[in-house]
Amino acid sequence: GAGVSQSPSNKVTEKGKDVELRCDPISGHTALYWYRQSLGQGLEFLIYFQGNSAPDKSGLPSDRFSAERTGGSVSTLTIQRTQQEDSAVYLCASSYLWGGTTDTQYFGPGTRLTVL
Amino acid sequence: AQTVTQSQPEMSVQEAETVTLSCTYDTSESDYYLFWYKQPPSRQMILVIRQEAYKQQNATENRFSVNFQKAAKSFSLKISDSQLGDAAMYFCAYRSAEGGSEKLVFGKGTKLTVNP
């Protein structure tokens, strides 16, 4: 079946602008994650959604970052007033809830964000 | 907090030879999962192998196998009969199985080069 998809593949924006990144999880997967991959910080967890539960936002680096998940499926990560340090690859992953815990996370191809 | 350390930023191997990538982790938990992910230049993170901490038997997937030493908190990946397509970044990751956050904690990665 189809894997996790993300759009856009690449995004170039100017400092101070807002951006929205989209993630479509694998059909039937109830858990969705966002990670950020940058040269300096490696792979960092940002946020986690599981069904109707309150999201785990513990990895969001500032209040300029927010995410929502509509209808338990598609998710949008929004970065307001972008800064150059926000330049990174943003990865989305999804997994299936099984036996009370989530299974292996499957990743999308990522969105490369460049802030000029 | 859990940490994952990959002490080899880069490794190289001759085609058809065997290579071992190292990973150590730090945790106070007894129940967790460990993963190796592969990331080729396409950016897509691909699951290579997964190990449940409660299982003593080392996981194996075709040419890929792990050496899981729970007491030593070590989780190395062995790639046998290396192929050109194995060239990629390899990330070791930890996930708790004791409730709470479902996030993956990643190491910094090892860049594997396969020489023909």
Side-chain angles (χ1 to χ4, degrees), chain A residues 9-10 33 35 37 40-41 43 45 48 56 89 91 101-105 107-112, chain B residues 33 35 37 39 42-47 50 91 95-97 100-108:
Chain A
S9 178
N10 292 283
Y33 313 76
Y35 294 87
Q37 185 175 23
Q41 301 299 322
L43 275 153
F45 164 78
Y48 158 60
D56 175 1
V89 174
L91 294 168
T101 186
T102 54
D103 204 342
T104 298
Q105 295 178 29
F107 284 79
T111 294
R112 180 179 296 281
Chain B
Y33 301 93
F35 305 84
Y37 280 91
Q39 187 180 42
S42 66
R43 292 200 311 247
Q44 181 91 44
M45 294 279 278
I46 302 164
L47 177 69
R50 157 193 167 126
F91 292 94
R95 181 171 81 76
S96 172
S101 179
E102 303 275 340
K103 68 180 181 182
L104 289 170
V105 178
F106 287 92
K108 295 291 188 184

Side-chain angles (χ1 to χ4, degrees), chain B residues 67-102:
Chain B
N67 183 3
F68 174 48
Q69 302 288 330
K70 191 172 183 180
K73 296 179 183 175
S74 171
F75 183 62
S76 61
L77 175 70
K78 185 171 83 171
I79 306 174
S80 304
D81 186 25
S82 297
Q83 301 176 1
L84 295 177
D86 295 333
M89 283 292 291
Y90 285 81
F91 292 94
C92 179
Y94 171 103
R95 181 171 81 76
S96 172
E98 296 187 356
S101 179
E102 303 275 340

